[in-house]
Amino acid sequence: MTDTPLARAARIAAGLLWVAVAAACSTGPDEAAVDAARSSANASLSASVTASASAAHRPLPTAAELDAHIKRALDPALPDSERTDLIEDGEAFRQAIPDMYRALQDNPRAVYGVTDPVFDNHDGTLTATMRLDKDGTGTTVRTTVMHFVLVDGKWKISRTDLCGILRSADYRTPACG
């Protein structure tokens, strides 16, 4: 079970308040100690609530923004270090980059993209749908669920789902096992 910032702040506040009350009971009322403990607990709780609220209300990227993110990751002109930063556990894909290029080169008419809607899973991930039309004719469109993972404040392409995209394009790579 994970410890939320709000729960942690509440425990700290309760502990500080207990210490202040215990001290007050043993030596008589020490208003300054109680006020200091209360002030510290309130500040800690307030900071935790603010942090939790800002994380919970992070603006969701649109399907167009996520689509641009994927297209950027597949752009051959992008330096590999920047490309791997767009992918969850991106360093594992460094050796797979030639496979991604080959998939693009072998399918020059391919049309792919993220479509609406984008769902917030409330666990640090987003879900959207990825469409892939390998020959660009519209007759062989494949779709797959696509996840994006929030890592260090950045939405990254899910490692698992990138492997799914490569598999749906009939490519295998050691990064995907």
Side-chain angles (χ1 to χ4, degrees), residues 37-53:
R38 185 178 296 123
S39 177
S40 177
N42 285 337
S44 178
L45 183 59
S46 179
S48 292
V49 168
T50 300
S52 294

Side-chain angles (χ1 to χ4, degrees), residues 90-101:
E91 278 303 312
F93 285 89
R94 189 170 290 278
Q95 292 179 338
I97 291 171
D99 294 329
M100 290 188 271
Y101 293 153

Side-chain angles (χ1 to χ4, degrees), residues 92-93 96 159-164 166-167 171-177:
F93 285 89
R159 177 184 183 154
T160 302
D161 292 344
L162 181 55
C163 290
L166 290 171
R167 278 191 294 277
Y171 284 89
R172 303 290 185 254
T173 179
C176 297

Side-chain angles (χ1 to χ4, degrees), residues 95-168:
Q95 292 179 338
I97 291 171
D99 294 329
M100 290 188 271
Y101 293 153
R102 194 172 74 236
L104 291 171
Q105 291 168 350
D106 289 352
N107 300 281
R109 296 180 51 203
V111 177
Y112 61 93
V114 177
T115 61
D116 280 319
V118 174
F119 296 102
D120 183 351
N121 299 317
H122 302 288
D123 63 355
T125 66
L126 301 176
T127 301
T129 300
M130 175 78 167
R131 289 179 39 125
L132 173 63
D133 181 358
K134 280 182 65 171
D135 62 10
T137 64
T139 58
T140 57
V141 176
R142 298 178 188 178
T143 61
T144 187
V145 171
M146 188 77 194
H147 294 92
F148 295 82
V149 180
L150 187 62
V151 179
D152 298 328
K154 296 180 191 176
W155 290 107
K156 297 189 178 208
I157 300 166
S158 160
R159 177 184 183 154
T160 302
D161 292 344
L162 181 55
C163 290
I165 292 169
L166 290 171
R167 278 191 294 277
S168 72

Side-chain angles (χ1 to χ4, degrees), residues 12-35:
I12 291 169
L16 290 173
L17 191 56
W18 184 84
V19 168
V21 169
C25 289
S26 64
T27 62
D30 182 357
E31 295 299 321
V34 171
D35 287 342

